[in-house]
Each structure stands twice: as structure tokens, then as C-alpha cells.
Amino acid sequence: MRKGQYTFVTGFLILPVALYLVFVIWPYIQTFGYSLTDWQGQSQDFSFVGLDNYVALAKDDVFLGAVWHNILYLVFVPVVTILLALFFAFMLNAGGRSKAGGVAGVAGSKFYKIVYFFPQVLSLAILAVLFGAVYRSDSGGMLNGLLMKIGLVDQDQPVEWLNEPNYVLWALLAVVVWHGVGFYLVLFSAAMQSIPRDIYEAALIDGAGRAQSFFRITLPLLWDSVQTAWVYLGIVAMDMFILVSTMTAPGGEFGGGPDHHSEVMSTVMMRNFLIFGKSGYACAMGVVMLLLTLILSVVTLRATRRERLEF
Amino acid sequence: MGSTSAQNGTPEQGGVGRRNLIKRSAALGLISVPAMGFLSACASGGGDDDKSDKPKGEKTKDNPFGVAKGGKLDVVVFKGGYGDDYAKAWEASFEKKWGVTAAHTGTQEITGKLQPRFNAGNPPDIIDDSGAQKIKIDVLNKNGQLLDLAAVLDAPSIDDPSKKVRDTLIPGTLDAGILEGKTVALNYIYTVWGLWYSGKLFKDKGWTEPKTWDEFLAICKDATKQGIGGLAHQGKFPYYINVAIMDLIAKKGGLDAMKAIDNLDPKAFVGSDAAKEAVEAVYEVVEKGYLMPGTNGLTHTESQTRWNQYKAAFITSGSWLENEQLKQTPDDFDMKFMPMPLLPGSAMPYEAIRAGSGEPFIIPSKAANLAEAQEFMRMMLSKEWSSLFAKEANSLTILADGVDPNVKLRPGTQSTVEASKKAGTNTFRFLYTEWYSEMDTEIQNASNELMAKRIQPAEWLKRAQAAVDKAAKTPAAQKNHRS
């Protein structure tokens, strides 16, 4: 490097690094500090309690339940979303057979692509209202209304979707998947379009069916995109805050009901932080969340590492 | 086409490939996006600002707190069912009288807007700390953020300077704002809780206000037969059904049964006959199928609107119900309030109601303009301002006879006035909801399970007792006590 270049580069780096330190790293450190205190969140008076908060956390059934729910989401949100998105993307891009014998999407695929993307345009807050109406627990709800019309549900005993311990997690999962599939479909479509047609055509000539060309060609060449999708969906699964807190019955504030059956870590944390005045304790939860996400992201990236193909 | 091991190699070999870079930044995102949002919520500002010198007024009989001309006042009001027009009217009147500039904030996000200010030591001067996102009073108080309002309550009343402000209020209405022996919140709105029904529906069906639980069940049964739900409640917020359960406990067992709960008695629920009978009575409604279908999963507005559409005979709520439902209520609905019906052998008469005050106004102890805030609160308790409130918000205040007779009230509010006249001194008010947020939440959860038929009354009692026992271990339990 030429003389003075280091100074030049450093000059550009100082500001972003400083911002990062002040607004990302420093809050982390502060939070860890608070997690060792009995801070109540409304003043700067608190005392040091050591690891008491962490010990209490290990015995907190509500929080442990929430961790479990997050893990469930972590498994199901990416798997279901990616599988559906891959399936649709494949059908839209290589699922059909064009007249000339080449590879194309099913009929009307351009239209579908736009329609599938719609849910992504809506914000989660709107989704919560929308699906609130779908899952409404009386005959005014869309699902209940439909089920009553076809006689599957008794008029006087509607299904309380979000108030049933056995349904609530799945009801929310459906919303997340509904929201996410369109986006990942577009992502995978883009990646699929960069796969050269001649590969498919060669496979076609060799007599490969749709399933074979998907598993032998599309999926391996798409692995990078899938991995990225997995990481992003992991973020969604670790969060879930907006949907749980606005759609479910409150186990106290911030949702999580009925009776903590849909609780996720963030809702438990917010309730302790803001409502119960146990802010130090909530900060300990925050630190645990950070650790868990760290571990999970490392594991995800390791587990999905593969030999890469280039074309 | 081939392997890209070279590109994919370690940084020593060939640097980070483009895809690797994307992958890594995605991984960083996974860590930092959720973590940052939540963790930075924990981080606080901190540090107090020095209060600059302000003009100080002379303390006189008419100006007991020494408000000076040219001062300032920062008012934050919860903009909920009562709107915030009343506060604007007050502020205009205050500015005119004292020459003070008032800053007004009407919001529903009390916690979001105010918590950082409390933490940083520059809170507003007077706050209506209400609504779903209020900062819990017990939490604020534990942190020494609330001014003891004794000075305001002992100051001379505006309407009659020979009386103290505290002596012009409806008896018992200050109770809800007492924490650890000090009045730290002024619950300004006089509220009653109980059952509500439509006068029109009852007239059409030939029903009359039930005085006993059996009569109540009979109406529920008749209603169910005619395709109307019996009891509706705001299922997503079990707070409301707790009104029914707790009121039955208080009326059956008397004030002692209520105080046992507030004072965290080891036999508050398990071992209390009143509690047992009350919960079993409410459960009977569930068991016999008298609940409005789906009510367990509805929000407060959804179930109240259904009730307004004559889909249920009764609903539990407090006296804000009429205001909340103004737009949904048919013109001839004739909304009516009634006390909880009696269980056999009740200690209190039928007329007894849960009555008290809601909508807590607080003055932060670190407020910059304490004198102005205190004077503002003193003026809130004048006839003029109380009538202003009744006019703008269609609700009563805790000022005794505080509403000018020219202000016309709506039928529901009017029926609460009559009910509280009939109740006389037979009123009661639970305080655990203000004292112990966590216990309240746990009892609400249990009630939600009970209404959904997932637990039985015996289990409800156990869970409620467990919540009480847990609260008894908190430090606050040593200071909160009522006799």
C-alpha cells in the first residue's frame, strides 16, 4: 500500500466503528451489567445481586416454556416456509413443459409470482389484525364462519383458535409461513433463473422427471440461497414478538396466552421488564437470548455447510 | 461447472468470497437484529440534569404552592376512552388563570414515551398514567418516583377554602392511590364495576334485574334457549371476568373476605368458603353453557359490540363501558348498570357495589415544575374543572357533588349514579390489582383457564392461592396493608 493509505482508510472507518461501538456493543455490555442487578427500570437506584437473576431464570417455568416454544418455531418456521417456497418456486420456474420441449414454469406463473409476493408487502401489525379476524373466536371469524357453514363446527361451540393451548402455536406458525413464503419464493426464483437452461434440457433429454431434476439439479445449485433463507427465518423464529403480543390472549401484558401456551422469550422479557418492574431480571433474559441466538447461528451455518458447485 | 474450493477457502488462502461475505453478514444479522432490539430496550440513559433557576411565586392562601407567572407545565394525558379534550380545556383554563405555558401530550403509549424520561430524571410534571401501556404505579413507587400528594390533599379547596381538598372527595376514593401508606396517585374518575344489560332487551323479553344468583342463572337459561348468549365477558382480558368472581367473593364473605385477598392472607382463597362458592357460581355459568359462544377468545371491543348487538344478556365491566361503546350502541339500547346478584347467605346486601376511582393522575417526585403540577391537581378537584370533565368525557369524578346539574349524562352513566346512591356506604374496592401486578396477572390467567373449562374451581382456588403466597414473599408485601 502507498504511504498515507492506511490513514485514509482508518479515517473512513472510525465513524462507523464508533457508531457501532456506541449503539450496538455498549448496550450489550450495559445489559449484561444490569442483568447482575435488581434494577426495576424506573430509576437509577439498584444494587448488585451477582448471578441471582440467572439462577432464578433457570427455575422460571414460564421462561423455560418460552424457550421451548422458540425452539419449536426455530424448527418449523424455516422448514415449512422453505419447503413450500422451494416447491412453488420450482413449479413457477421449471415445473412446466413448454411446447418446444424446453423448460418453463407452469401456466400463468408470472401472475402467481406477483400474487404470492403480496403477503410480504403487508406489515406484521396489519397481519395481526387480518388474522385476528380470521381466527376470531365466534361465528364472526372467517375460519369459524366457514367451518360452521359446512357443518364441521357447532354454532354454539366455535373453535377458539388463539385460546386453545393445542392450536395457538400452530395458528401463529401459519401466519408466519403465509407471510414468508412469497418472499422466499421470489428469492429462490431469482436463484433458479440463474441456473442455465441447458442443464435442465440435458437432464430432460436424459429422461429426468420433475422430481429428479429438482433434487439432482435445482436444490444443489440453490443451496446458498436456502442457507441464507434459513438464517433469516431463524431470526423470525427467535423473535415472533409482534404476532404473539398482539394476537394472543395476554398472560398479563404482551400476550403469550392462554396460560403461557404461546409465550416466547421476548414476550416474557418485555412483561418482566415493563410490567412487573423486574428489569434486571429481564436483562438477564436478554443476555440468555443473545447467547442462544449466537449458538444457534453458529450451529446453523456449520450444519448446512456443503461442497459448493459453480456454474 | 466445478468445485469452488479455492474461492471457498480460508481467508489466509484467498480472502472471503462474495457469498461467504453475504453468508456472514446474514449470520451477524441473526445475532444482532433480535438481540439489539431487545437489549437496547434494556439500556438506559441516566444522569440527572440540574434544574435551572425558575421564577418562584409567593405562597399565599390562594396560591398555596407558590405558582409564579411565566412558569411552565408539562402535562401528559392518556388518550383513551375519555379522549383528551377535557385536559385541553383544563390547560386553557390553567394558562389563563396563572399565566403559565402548558405543554400538552395526549398519548396511548405512556410507557414508551415516559419510561426513558423517568430513567433519565426528567419526567413530565403531571401524568394521567392509564391505559394498557401505563407504567405500573407500584413499580414507579418502589423506585421513589412519585410525589406524596398529601400537600395537595391538605391544601384549601378552591370552591370552599375553609375545607381541605381531601374533605371534598367521595369517601374511599383515595384508597386506590395509597401505596405503602402514602397517597401517591389521584384516581380521578369515579368508577363502579358490575354487570350491564340492555334496558330494551330486558323489556322485550320480560326480564327484570336479577337480585340473586339463581335469578341471574334463570335469565341466562332463558336467553340461551332463545338463541342469545347469557353472560358475555371480554375473554382476551380476563380482568373483566375477575370483576365478577371477586365481587361475588366480597359480597358473599363481606369486607373481610376482600381484605384477606389484599392482605395476602394464607387462607385468602384456599380455605375461604366465600371464594369457593363464588368461583363455583361463576363456573356454573360455564358448565351450563350460558356463556355467549366464543366470548372466551374475544377482545373487549369485540365482545362488547356483540353484546350491543343483543347477542348476550349480560356483560361485566366498569363504568367506562358506555363511553367505550358510544359508536356501537344502538340509540334505543338503554344501557343499564346493575350490582352483582347475591349468592345465598351473603354478608353484603344486593345494592353493594364495587366502587372507587380509576384513571390515576400522578406527579413525579423529580418533576421540574412541582408547584404548578400541584396547583393543577388542586384545580382538577374544583367544581368548575370537574364539570368540564363530566361534560367532555361523560363521566363522574371523585369530587362529591362535583358535576353541575346542567350537565346531562347518558343513560348508562345515569344508572351508575343511581346505583351508587342506593349503595350508599355499601361499597368495596379491591386493591391487590394496584399493589401486586404479578399476582393479578396470575389470577387472570387462572380465570381464563376456568372460563375455557380447562380447569375446575378447585384448581382455580389453588392457583389463585399460589399467586397470593408468591406475592407475600415480595418486599412490597410488608408495607401494603389495609385494615
Side-chain angles (χ1 to χ4, degrees):
Chain A
M1 266 193 218
R2 266 186 319 203
K3 211 182 155 201
Q5 206 167 1
Y6 278 114
T7 340
F8 183 72
V9 169
T10 319
F12 270 108
L13 282 178
I14 272 181
L15 189 65
V17 168
L19 284 174
Y20 189 76
L21 284 177
V22 170
F23 290 108
V24 179
I25 303 299
W26 177 238
Y28 279 38
I29 296 169
Q30 248 189 331
T31 304
F32 183 71
Y34 280 126
S35 77
L36 303 174
T37 69
D38 62 357
W39 184 43
Q40 293 176 327
Q42 302 294 347
S43 73
Q44 292 296 315
D45 305 330
F46 46 77
S47 47
F48 183 75
V49 295
L51 291 174
D52 282 8
N53 285 330
Y54 292 93
V55 175
L57 210 50
K59 295 182 202 149
D60 186 337
D61 289 338
V62 175
F63 185 72
L64 295 179
V67 173
W68 171 239
H69 295 149
N70 271 122
I71 292 175
L72 276 182
Y73 279 130
L74 203 69
V75 172
F76 284 100
V77 170
V79 169
V80 179
T81 312
I82 290 176
L83 282 183
L84 280 175
L86 271 177
F87 173 72
F88 288 137
F90 182 70
M91 288 319 249
L92 293 188
N93 289 290
R97 295 280 182 265
S98 73
K99 276 178 200 143
V103 179
V106 294
S109 57
K110 275 189 187 144
F111 171 72
Y112 291 135
K113 225 180 271 182
I114 294 169
V115 171
Y116 279 136
F117 197 71
F118 277 162
Q120 190 65 35
V121 181
L122 301 175
S123 85
L124 278 173
I126 295 172
L127 274 194
V129 176
L130 202 70
F131 276 87
V134 171
Y135 290 135
R136 200 180 144 137
S137 66
D138 62 4
S139 52
M142 195 182 100
L143 260 180
N144 271 315
L146 276 176
L147 291 173
M148 280 173 190
K149 278 256 158 63
I150 54 176
L152 281 178
V153 166
D154 177 10
Q155 204 84 25
D156 291 333
Q157 294 186 329
V159 186
E160 292 166 6
W161 297 103
L162 298 172
N163 192 33
E164 276 288 338
N166 297 327
Y167 297 158
V168 63
L169 283 177
W170 308 112
L172 293 175
L173 178 74
V175 182
V176 180
V177 170
W178 186 85
H179 180 237
V181 163
F183 176 79
Y184 292 101
L185 174 146
V186 172
L187 181 80
F188 294 151
S189 288
M192 278 179 197
Q193 264 151 22
S194 68
I195 300 173
R197 299 279 111 175
D198 42 359
I199 301 182
Y200 282 113
E201 278 155 15
L204 209 64
I205 291 164
D206 289 345
R210 282 181 199 181
Q212 269 174 320
S213 51
F214 177 78
F215 285 108
R216 296 292 174 84
I217 300 171
T218 314
L219 191 57
L221 291 177
L222 231 62
W223 197 251
D224 272 346
S225 305
V226 172
Q227 200 181 15
T228 309
W230 203 288
V231 172
Y232 277 116
L233 286 164
I235 299 176
V236 173
M238 289 304 280
D239 180 355
M240 288 301 289
F241 178 74
I242 297 178
L243 286 186
V244 173
S245 65
T246 48
M247 288 180 69
T248 62
E253 279 77 359
F254 299 110
D259 203 23
H260 306 302
H261 285 288
S262 65
E263 210 83 72
V264 287
M265 288 187 279
S266 47
T267 54
V268 183
M269 194 190 92
M270 288 302 273
R271 190 175 316 122
N272 277 281
F273 186 68
L274 291 176
I275 308 298
F276 296 160
K278 294 176 167 178
S279 305
Y281 187 50
C283 286
M285 293 183 190
V287 172
V288 170
M289 285 171 69
L290 171 70
L291 284 179
L292 284 180
T293 12
L294 261 173
I295 294 168
L296 285 165
S297 54
V298 170
V299 169
T300 312
L301 291 177
R302 286 280 147 133
T304 54
R305 181 182 282 178
R306 277 211 173 184
E307 182 81 347
R308 204 166 310 253
L309 298 167
E310 202 180 54
F311 41 83
Chain B
M1 187 169 124
S3 158
T4 58
S5 54
Q7 191 205 20
N8 198 26
T10 54
E12 293 91 54
Q13 284 172 323
V16 183
R18 175 174 51 86
R19 292 209 195 98
N20 250 344
L21 191 70
I22 292 170
K23 198 173 79 183
R24 279 182 200 172
S25 41
L28 255 182
L30 171 62
I31 301 161
S32 62
V33 171
M36 202 169 104
F38 298 121
L39 295 191
S40 59
C42 291
S44 71
D48 292 43
D49 294 306
D50 282 341
K51 306 269 150 62
S52 56
D53 289 325
K54 298 186 295 146
K56 281 202 176 70
E58 202 185 328
K59 290 188 186 181
T60 62
K61 201 163 186 219
D62 292 335
N63 185 7
F65 305 108
V67 174
K69 274 220 177 327
K72 280 185 191 152
L73 182 71
D74 187 352
V75 185
V76 175
V77 170
F78 169 65
K79 196 174 174 180
Y82 302 109
D84 65 346
D85 288 343
Y86 69 87
K88 287 183 188 152
W90 287 351
E91 285 152 21
S93 157
F94 194 74
E95 286 181 332
K96 206 168 133 203
K97 180 165 177 190
W98 295 105
V100 165
T101 327
H104 174 87
T105 311
T107 180
Q108 301 205 347
E109 299 163 6
I110 299 284
T111 293
K113 293 223 163 99
L114 297 190
Q115 190 178 27
R117 296 186 61 180
F118 272 110
N119 262 308
N122 61 344
D125 300 319
I126 187 162
I127 306 163
D128 167 13
D129 185 21
S130 303
Q133 298 186 38
K134 67 180 172 190
I135 307 182
K136 295 282 169 153
I137 303 278
D138 53 342
V139 175
L140 276 177
N141 186 54
K142 268 188 272 175
N143 285 278
Q145 293 282 18
L146 297 178
L147 185 76
D148 185 349
L149 302 177
V152 179
L153 298 169
D154 290 329
S157 153
I158 298 214
D159 298 318
D160 179 0
S162 66
K163 276 189 186 169
K164 286 180 182 174
V165 167
R166 113 172 32 245
D167 297 330
T168 62
L169 308 180
I170 298 174
T173 48
L174 289 175
D175 290 358
I178 299 176
L179 282 179
E180 303 179 359
K182 283 188 300 183
T183 310
V184 290
L186 179 84
N187 286 267
Y188 186 66
I189 297 176
Y190 182 71
T191 310
V192 297
W193 288 264
L195 284 174
W196 296 76
Y197 62 91
S198 154
K200 176 177 184 284
L201 183 72
F202 270 51
K203 214 166 144 197
D204 289 353
K205 303 282 177 196
W207 296 328
T208 49
E209 204 172 282
K211 295 213 160 37
T212 67
W213 195 252
D214 286 337
E215 287 170 25
F216 169 78
L217 290 176
I219 293 182
C220 287
K221 189 178 176 186
D222 195 23
T224 314
K225 233 188 257 165
Q226 302 188 37
I228 305 170
L231 177 70
H233 75 109
Q234 297 79 339
K236 271 201 174 173
F237 304 98
Y239 163 89
Y240 291 87
I241 196 63
N242 271 358
V243 169
I245 298 175
M246 294 295 167
D247 285 13
L248 282 175
I249 294 177
K251 288 177 91 161
K252 167 79 192 179
L255 293 178
D256 289 339
M258 171 185 75
K259 286 174 193 163
I261 296 170
D262 287 343
N263 290 336
L264 308 176
D265 192 290
K267 282 186 173 170
F269 290 105
V270 172
S272 154
D273 291 336
K276 183 164 177 279
E277 279 182 50
V279 179
E280 281 171 354
V282 171
Y283 190 64
E284 211 177 330
V285 177
V286 182
E287 223 175 10
K288 292 191 167 157
Y290 296 158
L291 284 182
M292 179 174 83
T295 193
N296 288 328
L298 295 181
T299 65
H300 58 304
T301 42
E302 284 168 352
S303 57
Q304 285 159 194
T305 303
R306 289 295 248 191
W307 170 74
N308 277 145
Q309 295 161 349
Y310 307 107
K311 295 272 174 27
F314 301 98
I315 196 165
T316 51
S317 188
S319 43
W320 58 84
L321 177 67
E322 187 169 42
N323 279 311
E324 201 164 46
Q325 292 302 107
L326 270 187
K327 281 184 197 143
Q328 285 77 24
T329 309
D331 288 338
D332 58 351
F333 190 78
D334 193 20
M335 201 179 282
K336 286 267 195 281
F337 169 83
M338 63 170 277
M340 281 309 275
L342 286 187
L343 293 168
S346 282
M348 283 197 208
Y350 167 69
E351 285 76 19
I353 46 174
R354 183 195 301 217
S357 41
E359 206 88 353
F361 281 77
I362 53 176
I363 300 180
S365 53
K366 291 179 190 149
N369 307 295
L370 276 179
E372 284 78 5
Q374 287 175 301
E375 180 61 27
F376 191 85
M377 190 173 270
R378 186 171 81 107
M379 289 186 72
M380 279 166 61
L381 297 167
S382 69
K383 238 182 189 164
E384 185 198 340
W385 282 26
S386 167
S387 298
L388 265 178
F389 180 82
K391 203 173 104 208
E392 300 284 353
N394 182 37
S395 285
L396 306 181
T397 72
I398 58 168
L399 191 69
D401 290 323
V403 181
D404 192 284
N406 295 327
V407 178
K408 194 172 175 332
L409 298 168
R410 289 175 188 282
T413 309
Q414 188 56 40
S415 75
T416 62
V417 175
E418 283 151 26
S420 42
K421 267 189 200 143
K422 278 187 203 152
T425 54
N426 277 316
T427 61
F428 56 93
R429 167 80 198 261
F430 283 92
L431 294 179
Y432 76 92
T433 47
E434 330 291 316
W435 285 353
Y436 309 108
S437 308
E438 205 171 345
M439 163 178 153
D440 183 27
T441 300
E442 282 165 24
I443 299 180
Q444 287 189 28
N445 269 335
S447 300
N448 182 37
E449 294 297 282
L450 183 85
M451 298 315 280
K453 239 179 172 174
R454 286 193 288 267
I455 63 172
Q456 305 287 308
E459 176 69 14
W460 186 93
L461 290 168
K462 249 203 258 164
R463 286 181 58 164
Q465 187 66 50
V468 167
D469 295 343
K470 194 171 161 197
K473 286 185 200 139
T474 60
Q478 287 154 13
K479 294 182 197 153
N480 290 325
H481 189 86
R482 65 191 297 193
S483 50

